[in-house]
Amino acid sequence: MPSFPPLTTTLAFLAGILLTLGLKDFYPDLERRFRRRSHFPPNNTLAGAGLVVPQVDLEDRTRKSAGGGGGAIAGKREGGEGLEVVEGVEGCVGETPLIRIRSLCEETGCEILGKAEFMNGGGGSPKDRVALSIINMAEGSGLLKPNSGDVIYEGTVGSTGISLATICRARGYRAHICMPSDQATEKSDLLLKLGAVVDRVPPAPIVDPMHFVNRARTLAAEHTADPNRRGRGFFADQFETEGNWQAHYEGTGPEIYRQCCGHIDAFVAGAGTGGTIAGVARYLKPRLPDLKIVLADPQGSGLFNRIKYGVMFDSKEREGTRRRQQVDTIVEGIGINRLTANFEAGRELIDDAIKVEDEQAIAMARWLVERDGIFAGSSSAVNCVAAFRFAQILGPGHRIVTILCDSGTRHLSKFWARAGNISGELDVNLADIIDAASSD
């Protein structure tokens, strides 16, 4: 008589088959995951290759930090790390990298580093820091209220306006920008694309009511006084407000100090409002007493003589020689013939000044593209000329930090139109930078 297995054994066997098929149907990648895991030893090192595989943490992307507001969103699952997510475009301002400018390092024997402020994620310049600081201070003081119809007015040659227009849109305001009509047209074009109102006014001395700064101040006051207009007018006043240099004291300066591990021999920067050089100097000098703060000043500006000789004067400003109402240079963004509150905040900390001619700036801009692939604007080129020349004064083995303010894309119709196109050959040499003088 044939022998049959017990019924319970048969049922268990069939259940096992069904369970296996069910797992395969519901988890088609189970085997793939198992095999992938089996290739990694416990120390997460890829066998035979020496590659470290980082731990992957699952994070909850639905919860914000309890504090709310700006900054990174810190929501996480149990045991996970905080998300590295910034709050809006404002969160992209600051923490810009330091770039080692290799060609200048090789030529001088010094380490010349450029703070890549063109990588700020708002308006693409150091003015992002200033615009954000001014708006934050005004909101904190009750002078601005988001989405209330408030309008921010400012007189600027371009970069501050672009930064304000960007952050205004993110914060619920509109920007009204007054700028000299002789500035590069791409700046005003960009402002219009950002939704700003743009007044291009004729260049005029600061004592003229139609000077671009005075014009912005007047328009802000008229807006506030008009009962038929919604919201208030707020004059940003970048040249005089403490929020300018404080933005660099609280941001740019500490970043440079940390990125250089506290070892810097010189900081070189130009001055328009003066906020960058003043704020960075006020942060770094108390921590590095031997640090040299050096002003990079374009032709036509009086700040060089103010630092070197105590007087505001430039040879191109002699009566009968001036060609422009503001500063006689092709460079935009730096250079001025009056003292601002921001410049005065750091003037006593400036150790030296270097005058840079237009042709030197043009030669340096071309050099940076040819040798380093850095497409810089006019003020960045001036800074690099001064950093290069101060490196020659210090000698090899020193570390010099300067500011790469904005991209050459904002200077195409003026500065770069004169600089010309870059060929496939290396047609700029150091003599062009050291010895070049304006031929105009």
Side-chain angles (χ1 to χ4, degrees):
M1 183 174 178
S3 175
F4 296 98
L7 181 60
T8 54
T9 303
T10 301
L11 292 175
F13 177 73
L14 292 174
I17 294 175
L18 291 174
L19 180 61
T20 302
L21 292 173
L23 285 172
K24 187 174 182 181
D25 289 338
F26 284 103
Y27 301 98
D29 64 339
L30 185 62
E31 182 177 354
R32 174 177 55 81
R33 292 185 180 184
F34 174 77
R35 288 181 176 177
R36 185 175 62 182
R37 291 183 60 188
S38 67
H39 280 77
F40 297 100
N43 65 355
N44 281 346
T45 301
L46 192 59
L51 299 178
V52 176
V53 180
Q55 178 69 36
V56 177
D57 293 322
L58 298 178
E59 297 167 330
D60 185 354
R61 296 177 180 268
T62 64
R63 292 182 296 164
K64 294 186 178 181
S65 60
I73 298 173
K76 60 181 180 179
R77 286 192 178 186
E78 187 70 25
E81 298 297 327
L83 290 176
E84 294 186 6
V85 177
V86 298
E87 188 69 25
V89 71
E90 309 98 306
C92 301
V93 177
E95 294 299 335
T96 56
L98 274 180
I99 296 176
R100 180 175 287 104
I101 307 176
R102 288 193 296 261
S103 67
L104 299 183
C105 296
E106 292 167 0
E107 294 292 344
T108 62
C110 289
E111 187 173 41
I112 299 180
L113 308 176
K115 182 74 166 154
E117 288 293 277
F118 62 85
M119 294 182 70
N120 276 304
S125 82
K127 297 302 185 179
D128 285 357
R129 300 177 187 266
V130 177
L132 186 58
S133 174
I134 290 173
I135 291 174
N136 283 341
M137 289 178 64
E139 288 180 344
S141 301
L143 298 176
L144 285 173
K145 183 178 180 181
N147 303 307
S148 64
D150 288 351
V151 177
I152 298 177
Y153 294 81
E154 182 59 304
T156 167
V157 297
S159 290
T160 303
I162 293 167
S163 296
L164 278 172
T166 303
I167 298 175
C168 276
R169 282 298 179 179
R171 288 290 186 89
Y173 307 107
R174 193 174 188 190
H176 188 129
I177 304 301
C178 300
M179 62 187 300
S181 58
D182 61 350
Q183 300 300 291
T185 57
E186 49 266 38
K187 294 182 180 180
S188 56
D189 290 345
L190 179 55
L191 284 166
L192 292 171
K193 296 298 186 291
L194 291 169
V197 177
V198 181
D199 282 342
R200 290 179 68 95
V201 301
I206 188 64
V207 295
D208 191 323
M210 286 302 294
H211 182 277
F212 63 98
V213 173
N214 296 333
R215 175 69 175 158
R217 181 188 292 109
T218 299
L219 290 173
E222 290 176 350
H223 182 154
T224 300
D226 188 347
N228 298 317
R229 296 189 66 178
R230 182 170 175 256
R232 296 165 293 181
F234 173 76
F235 177 49
D237 200 14
Q238 61 162 328
F239 287 89
E240 309 302 329
T241 178
E242 289 189 345
N244 187 333
W245 70 259
Q246 286 179 355
H248 299 289
Y249 179 85
E250 296 171 0
T252 317
E255 289 171 26
I256 291 172
Y257 186 83
R258 186 187 72 248
Q259 289 166 329
C260 290
C261 299
H263 174 58
I264 314 162
D265 296 297
F267 174 72
V268 179
T273 64
T276 301
I277 195 167
V280 172
R282 288 178 68 131
Y283 183 85
L284 292 181
K285 269 286 195 176
R287 294 161 177 81
L288 301 168
D290 295 329
L291 173 73
K292 299 298 182 183
I293 303 293
V294 182
L295 171 72
D297 209 32
Q299 68 177 52
S301 172
L303 296 180
F304 170 82
N305 282 315
R306 181 65 174 140
I307 295 300
K308 297 288 281 188
Y309 310 114
V311 295
M312 286 289 290
F313 174 77
D314 183 87
S315 60
K316 290 184 172 56
E317 300 299 297
R318 291 194 304 269
E319 180 140 6
T321 65
R322 177 189 269 192
R323 296 169 302 172
R324 297 179 64 241
Q325 290 292 339
Q326 190 182 359
V327 177
D328 197 3
T329 177
I330 197 173
V331 174
E332 296 181 359
I334 58 174
I336 195 170
N337 280 305
R338 61 186 174 91
L339 294 176
T340 67
N342 277 281
F343 186 77
E344 286 293 275
R347 180 171 58 86
E348 295 298 326
L349 301 175
I350 300 175
D351 299 289
D352 204 350
I354 293 176
K355 174 71 70 178
V356 178
E357 300 291 328
D358 282 356
E359 296 303 322
Q360 292 177 307
I362 288 170
M364 176 58 78
R366 293 178 61 86
W367 170 281
L368 291 173
V369 172
E370 290 181 356
R371 310 290 175 131
D372 299 281
I374 298 174
F375 186 46
S378 56
S379 55
S380 302
V382 169
N383 287 344
C384 287
V385 171
F388 171 74
R389 289 175 59 188
F390 200 68
Q392 292 180 310
I393 294 171
L394 290 180
H398 294 87
R399 176 177 289 162
I400 300 168
V401 176
T402 192
I403 301 292
L404 300 177
C405 306
D406 61 5
S407 166
T409 56
R410 291 188 183 169
H411 302 259
L412 294 175
S413 65
K414 188 177 175 184
F415 179 79
W416 270 100
R418 182 162 158 184
N421 295 331
I422 305 297
S423 68
E425 304 296 326
L426 299 179
D427 59 1
V428 180
N429 56 55
L430 289 178
D432 296 324
I433 298 171
I434 298 171
D435 301 328
S438 176
S439 58
D440 297 340

Short mmCIF file of all heavy atoms in Angstrom, two decimals, residues 89-90 92-94 96 115-131 158-167 187 190 194 375-377 379-380 403-411:
data_model
loop_
_atom_site.label_atom_id
_atom_site.label_comp_id
_atom_site.label_asym_id
_atom_site.label_seq_id
_atom_site.Cartn_x
_atom_site.Cartn_y
_atom_site.Cartn_z
N VAL A 89 15.49 82.70 -2.26
CA VAL A 89 16.70 83.20 -2.92
C VAL A 89 17.61 83.91 -1.92
O VAL A 89 18.83 83.94 -2.10
CB VAL A 89 16.31 84.15 -4.08
CG1 VAL A 89 15.75 85.46 -3.57
CG2 VAL A 89 17.48 84.39 -5.01
N GLU A 90 17.03 84.43 -0.82
CA GLU A 90 17.87 85.09 0.19
C GLU A 90 18.87 84.12 0.81
O GLU A 90 19.95 84.52 1.24
CB GLU A 90 17.00 85.69 1.30
CG GLU A 90 15.87 86.58 0.82
CD GLU A 90 14.55 85.85 0.77
OE1 GLU A 90 14.50 84.78 0.12
OE2 GLU A 90 13.59 86.31 1.40
N CYS A 92 20.60 82.06 -0.66
CA CYS A 92 21.74 81.86 -1.57
C CYS A 92 22.77 82.98 -1.46
O CYS A 92 23.72 83.02 -2.24
CB CYS A 92 21.25 81.78 -3.01
SG CYS A 92 20.06 80.46 -3.33
N VAL A 93 22.57 83.89 -0.52
CA VAL A 93 23.48 85.02 -0.35
C VAL A 93 24.53 84.67 0.70
O VAL A 93 24.21 84.23 1.80
CB VAL A 93 22.70 86.28 0.07
CG1 VAL A 93 23.66 87.44 0.32
CG2 VAL A 93 21.69 86.65 -1.00
N GLY A 94 25.79 84.87 0.35
CA GLY A 94 26.88 84.61 1.29
C GLY A 94 27.50 83.24 1.11
O GLY A 94 27.08 82.44 0.28
N THR A 96 30.35 82.48 -0.16
CA THR A 96 30.95 82.33 -1.49
C THR A 96 32.36 81.76 -1.35
O THR A 96 33.05 81.99 -0.36
CB THR A 96 31.01 83.68 -2.21
OG1 THR A 96 31.72 84.62 -1.38
CG2 THR A 96 29.61 84.21 -2.49
N LYS A 115 37.77 86.27 -3.64
CA LYS A 115 36.48 85.94 -3.02
C LYS A 115 35.41 86.06 -4.09
O LYS A 115 35.11 87.15 -4.59
CB LYS A 115 36.21 86.90 -1.86
CG LYS A 115 34.92 86.65 -1.09
CD LYS A 115 35.00 85.46 -0.20
CE LYS A 115 33.83 85.44 0.81
NZ LYS A 115 33.52 84.08 1.25
N ALA A 116 34.82 84.93 -4.49
CA ALA A 116 33.95 84.87 -5.67
C ALA A 116 32.55 85.39 -5.35
O ALA A 116 31.57 84.65 -5.32
CB ALA A 116 33.89 83.44 -6.20
N GLU A 117 32.46 86.70 -5.16
CA GLU A 117 31.18 87.32 -4.82
C GLU A 117 30.20 87.29 -5.98
O GLU A 117 28.99 87.47 -5.78
CB GLU A 117 31.40 88.75 -4.33
CG GLU A 117 32.04 88.84 -2.96
CD GLU A 117 31.12 88.30 -1.87
OE1 GLU A 117 30.25 89.05 -1.40
OE2 GLU A 117 31.26 87.12 -1.49
N PHE A 118 30.69 87.08 -7.19
CA PHE A 118 29.77 86.94 -8.33
C PHE A 118 28.93 85.67 -8.22
O PHE A 118 27.97 85.49 -8.97
CB PHE A 118 30.54 86.95 -9.65
CG PHE A 118 31.53 85.82 -9.82
CD1 PHE A 118 31.12 84.59 -10.31
CD2 PHE A 118 32.86 85.99 -9.49
CE1 PHE A 118 32.01 83.54 -10.46
CE2 PHE A 118 33.77 84.95 -9.64
CZ PHE A 118 33.35 83.72 -10.13
N MET A 119 29.27 84.79 -7.27
CA MET A 119 28.51 83.56 -7.08
C MET A 119 27.40 83.71 -6.03
O MET A 119 26.72 82.74 -5.72
CB MET A 119 29.46 82.42 -6.69
CG MET A 119 30.42 82.06 -7.82
SD MET A 119 31.53 80.69 -7.42
CE MET A 119 30.36 79.32 -7.41
N ASN A 120 27.21 84.91 -5.50
CA ASN A 120 26.03 85.15 -4.67
C ASN A 120 24.79 84.89 -5.51
O ASN A 120 24.71 85.31 -6.67
CB ASN A 120 26.02 86.58 -4.14
CG ASN A 120 26.84 86.75 -2.89
OD1 ASN A 120 26.63 86.07 -1.89
ND2 ASN A 120 27.81 87.66 -2.93
N GLY A 121 23.80 84.23 -4.91
CA GLY A 121 22.68 83.72 -5.70
C GLY A 121 21.51 84.65 -5.88
O GLY A 121 20.52 84.29 -6.49
N GLY A 122 21.59 85.88 -5.36
CA GLY A 122 20.52 86.84 -5.58
C GLY A 122 20.77 87.61 -6.86
O GLY A 122 20.33 87.25 -7.94
N GLY A 123 21.54 88.69 -6.75
CA GLY A 123 21.88 89.50 -7.90
C GLY A 123 23.27 89.25 -8.44
O GLY A 123 23.71 89.94 -9.36
N GLY A 124 23.99 88.29 -7.87
CA GLY A 124 25.29 87.92 -8.42
C GLY A 124 26.40 88.92 -8.16
O GLY A 124 27.27 89.13 -9.01
N SER A 125 26.44 89.53 -6.97
CA SER A 125 27.51 90.46 -6.61
C SER A 125 27.52 90.61 -5.09
O SER A 125 26.59 90.18 -4.40
CB SER A 125 27.29 91.82 -7.28
OG SER A 125 26.36 92.61 -6.56
N PRO A 126 28.58 91.28 -4.54
CA PRO A 126 28.58 91.50 -3.09
C PRO A 126 27.43 92.39 -2.62
O PRO A 126 27.12 92.41 -1.42
CB PRO A 126 29.94 92.19 -2.84
CG PRO A 126 30.38 92.70 -4.17
CD PRO A 126 29.82 91.75 -5.17
N LYS A 127 26.79 93.08 -3.53
CA LYS A 127 25.66 93.94 -3.15
C LYS A 127 24.45 93.13 -2.70
O LYS A 127 23.53 93.69 -2.09
CB LYS A 127 25.29 94.85 -4.32
CG LYS A 127 26.39 95.82 -4.72
CD LYS A 127 26.81 96.73 -3.57
CE LYS A 127 27.82 97.77 -4.02
NZ LYS A 127 28.22 98.67 -2.91
N ASP A 128 24.43 91.83 -2.99
CA ASP A 128 23.37 90.97 -2.44
C ASP A 128 23.37 91.04 -0.92
O ASP A 128 22.32 91.10 -0.27
CB ASP A 128 23.57 89.52 -2.87
CG ASP A 128 23.20 89.28 -4.31
OD1 ASP A 128 22.74 90.22 -4.98
OD2 ASP A 128 23.37 88.14 -4.78
N ARG A 129 24.57 91.01 -0.34
CA ARG A 129 24.68 91.05 1.12
C ARG A 129 24.12 92.38 1.65
O ARG A 129 23.42 92.41 2.66
CB ARG A 129 26.15 90.92 1.53
CG ARG A 129 26.84 89.64 1.09
CD ARG A 129 28.31 89.69 1.50
NE ARG A 129 29.09 88.59 0.98
CZ ARG A 129 29.35 87.45 1.62
NH1 ARG A 129 28.83 87.27 2.82
NH2 ARG A 129 30.09 86.51 1.08
N VAL A 130 24.47 93.46 0.96
CA VAL A 130 24.05 94.79 1.39
C VAL A 130 22.54 94.94 1.27
O VAL A 130 21.87 95.43 2.18
CB VAL A 130 24.77 95.86 0.56
CG1 VAL A 130 24.29 97.26 0.95
CG2 VAL A 130 26.29 95.75 0.74
N ALA A 131 21.99 94.54 0.12
CA ALA A 131 20.55 94.67 -0.10
C ALA A 131 19.77 93.90 0.96
O ALA A 131 18.78 94.40 1.53
CB ALA A 131 20.19 94.17 -1.50
N GLY A 158 24.24 100.33 -10.64
CA GLY A 158 23.73 99.09 -11.23
C GLY A 158 23.64 97.91 -10.30
O GLY A 158 22.57 97.35 -10.09
N SER A 159 24.76 97.50 -9.70
CA SER A 159 24.79 96.23 -8.97
C SER A 159 23.87 96.22 -7.76
O SER A 159 23.15 95.25 -7.51
CB SER A 159 26.22 95.89 -8.56
OG SER A 159 26.99 95.55 -9.69
N THR A 160 23.88 97.30 -6.97
CA THR A 160 22.99 97.34 -5.81
C THR A 160 21.54 97.31 -6.25
O THR A 160 20.69 96.66 -5.62
CB THR A 160 23.26 98.59 -4.96
OG1 THR A 160 24.63 98.61 -4.56
CG2 THR A 160 22.37 98.62 -3.72
N GLY A 161 21.24 97.99 -7.34
CA GLY A 161 19.88 97.98 -7.87
C GLY A 161 19.43 96.59 -8.27
O GLY A 161 18.29 96.19 -7.99
N ILE A 162 20.33 95.85 -8.92
CA ILE A 162 19.99 94.49 -9.34
C ILE A 162 19.74 93.60 -8.12
O ILE A 162 18.79 92.82 -8.08
CB ILE A 162 21.10 93.92 -10.24
CG1 ILE A 162 21.14 94.70 -11.56
CG2 ILE A 162 20.90 92.43 -10.50
CD1 ILE A 162 22.37 94.44 -12.40
N SER A 163 20.59 93.74 -7.12
CA SER A 163 20.40 92.95 -5.90
C SER A 163 19.11 93.33 -5.20
O SER A 163 18.35 92.47 -4.74
CB SER A 163 21.60 93.15 -4.96
OG SER A 163 22.79 92.65 -5.54
N LEU A 164 18.84 94.63 -5.10
CA LEU A 164 17.59 95.07 -4.46
C LEU A 164 16.37 94.58 -5.23
O LEU A 164 15.40 94.10 -4.64
CB LEU A 164 17.57 96.59 -4.37
CG LEU A 164 18.32 97.23 -3.20
CD1 LEU A 164 18.37 98.73 -3.36
CD2 LEU A 164 17.68 96.86 -1.86
N ALA A 165 16.42 94.71 -6.57
CA ALA A 165 15.27 94.29 -7.37
C ALA A 165 14.97 92.81 -7.18
O ALA A 165 13.81 92.39 -7.09
CB ALA A 165 15.54 94.59 -8.85
N THR A 166 16.03 92.00 -7.10
CA THR A 166 15.85 90.56 -6.91
C THR A 166 15.23 90.24 -5.56
O THR A 166 14.23 89.52 -5.46
CB THR A 166 17.21 89.85 -7.04
OG1 THR A 166 17.78 90.14 -8.31
CG2 THR A 166 17.05 88.34 -6.90
N ILE A 167 15.83 90.79 -4.51
CA ILE A 167 15.36 90.46 -3.15
C ILE A 167 14.03 91.14 -2.86
O ILE A 167 13.19 90.60 -2.12
CB ILE A 167 16.44 90.82 -2.13
CG1 ILE A 167 17.70 89.97 -2.41
CG2 ILE A 167 15.95 90.59 -0.70
CD1 ILE A 167 18.88 90.30 -1.55
N LYS A 187 22.74 96.60 -17.58
CA LYS A 187 22.30 96.67 -16.19
C LYS A 187 20.86 97.16 -16.10
O LYS A 187 20.04 96.58 -15.37
CB LYS A 187 23.23 97.59 -15.40
CG LYS A 187 24.65 97.06 -15.26
CD LYS A 187 25.52 97.98 -14.45
CE LYS A 187 26.94 97.44 -14.31
NZ LYS A 187 27.81 98.33 -13.52
N LEU A 190 18.47 94.50 -17.39
CA LEU A 190 18.22 93.44 -16.42
C LEU A 190 17.27 93.92 -15.33
O LEU A 190 16.38 93.17 -14.89
CB LEU A 190 19.55 92.98 -15.80
CG LEU A 190 19.47 91.88 -14.74
CD1 LEU A 190 18.73 90.66 -15.25
CD2 LEU A 190 20.88 91.51 -14.27
N LEU A 194 13.60 92.34 -14.10
CA LEU A 194 13.31 91.97 -12.72
C LEU A 194 12.11 92.74 -12.17
O LEU A 194 11.77 92.60 -10.99
CB LEU A 194 14.54 92.23 -11.84
CG LEU A 194 15.72 91.29 -12.08
CD1 LEU A 194 16.96 91.79 -11.36
CD2 LEU A 194 15.40 89.87 -11.63
N PHE A 375 35.96 85.31 -16.28
CA PHE A 375 35.40 86.41 -17.05
C PHE A 375 34.88 87.45 -16.07
O PHE A 375 33.76 87.38 -15.58
CB PHE A 375 34.28 85.89 -17.96
CG PHE A 375 33.73 86.94 -18.90
CD1 PHE A 375 34.57 87.76 -19.62
CD2 PHE A 375 32.37 87.08 -19.06
CE1 PHE A 375 34.08 88.71 -20.50
CE2 PHE A 375 31.85 88.02 -19.94
CZ PHE A 375 32.71 88.84 -20.65
N ALA A 376 35.73 88.42 -15.77
CA ALA A 376 35.46 89.36 -14.68
C ALA A 376 34.96 90.69 -15.20
O ALA A 376 35.23 91.09 -16.34
CB ALA A 376 36.73 89.58 -13.86
N GLY A 377 34.25 91.40 -14.33
CA GLY A 377 33.83 92.76 -14.61
C GLY A 377 34.95 93.74 -14.34
O GLY A 377 36.05 93.38 -13.90
N SER A 379 35.42 96.24 -12.09
CA SER A 379 35.92 96.45 -10.73
C SER A 379 36.74 95.26 -10.25
O SER A 379 37.73 95.44 -9.53
CB SER A 379 34.75 96.72 -9.77
OG SER A 379 33.79 95.69 -9.84
N SER A 380 36.37 94.06 -10.66
CA SER A 380 37.17 92.87 -10.31
C SER A 380 38.56 92.96 -10.93
O SER A 380 39.56 92.58 -10.31
CB SER A 380 36.46 91.60 -10.80
OG SER A 380 35.18 91.48 -10.25
N ILE A 403 38.58 90.78 -3.99
CA ILE A 403 37.17 90.54 -4.26
C ILE A 403 36.95 90.44 -5.76
O ILE A 403 37.36 91.33 -6.53
CB ILE A 403 36.28 91.68 -3.70
CG1 ILE A 403 36.46 91.82 -2.19
CG2 ILE A 403 34.82 91.43 -4.06
CD1 ILE A 403 35.94 90.67 -1.38
N LEU A 404 36.31 89.35 -6.20
CA LEU A 404 35.82 89.22 -7.58
C LEU A 404 34.34 89.60 -7.55
O LEU A 404 33.50 88.81 -7.16
CB LEU A 404 36.03 87.79 -8.08
CG LEU A 404 37.49 87.31 -8.11
CD1 LEU A 404 37.56 85.86 -8.56
CD2 LEU A 404 38.35 88.19 -8.99
N CYS A 405 34.05 90.83 -7.93
CA CYS A 405 32.75 91.43 -7.62
C CYS A 405 31.62 90.88 -8.46
O CYS A 405 30.61 90.42 -7.93
CB CYS A 405 32.82 92.94 -7.80
SG CYS A 405 34.15 93.73 -6.87
N ASP A 406 31.74 90.98 -9.78
CA ASP A 406 30.66 90.51 -10.64
C ASP A 406 31.21 90.00 -11.96
O ASP A 406 32.41 90.13 -12.24
CB ASP A 406 29.59 91.58 -10.85
CG ASP A 406 30.11 92.84 -11.52
OD1 ASP A 406 31.29 92.86 -11.92
OD2 ASP A 406 29.35 93.82 -11.65
N SER A 407 30.34 89.43 -12.74
CA SER A 407 30.73 88.82 -14.01
C SER A 407 30.90 89.87 -15.10
O SER A 407 30.26 90.94 -15.07
CB SER A 407 29.68 87.79 -14.43
OG SER A 407 29.83 87.43 -15.78
N GLY A 408 31.72 89.55 -16.09
CA GLY A 408 31.88 90.42 -17.24
C GLY A 408 30.63 90.57 -18.07
O GLY A 408 30.54 91.47 -18.91
N THR A 409 29.65 89.70 -17.85
CA THR A 409 28.41 89.78 -18.63
C THR A 409 27.66 91.08 -18.37
O THR A 409 26.81 91.48 -19.17
CB THR A 409 27.48 88.59 -18.31
OG1 THR A 409 27.22 88.55 -16.90
CG2 THR A 409 28.12 87.28 -18.75
N ARG A 410 27.95 91.77 -17.25
CA ARG A 410 27.31 93.05 -16.96
C ARG A 410 28.10 94.23 -17.53
O ARG A 410 27.74 95.38 -17.30
CB ARG A 410 27.14 93.22 -15.45
CG ARG A 410 26.13 92.28 -14.87
CD ARG A 410 25.84 92.60 -13.44
NE ARG A 410 24.93 91.63 -12.88
CZ ARG A 410 24.64 91.53 -11.59
NH1 ARG A 410 25.21 92.37 -10.74
NH2 ARG A 410 23.81 90.63 -11.15
N HIS A 411 29.16 93.94 -18.22
CA HIS A 411 30.04 94.99 -18.72
C HIS A 411 30.32 94.84 -20.21
O HIS A 411 31.32 95.35 -20.72
CB HIS A 411 31.35 94.97 -17.94
CG HIS A 411 31.19 95.12 -16.46
ND1 HIS A 411 31.40 96.31 -15.78
CD2 HIS A 411 30.82 94.22 -15.50
CE1 HIS A 411 31.18 96.15 -14.49
NE2 HIS A 411 30.83 94.88 -14.29
#
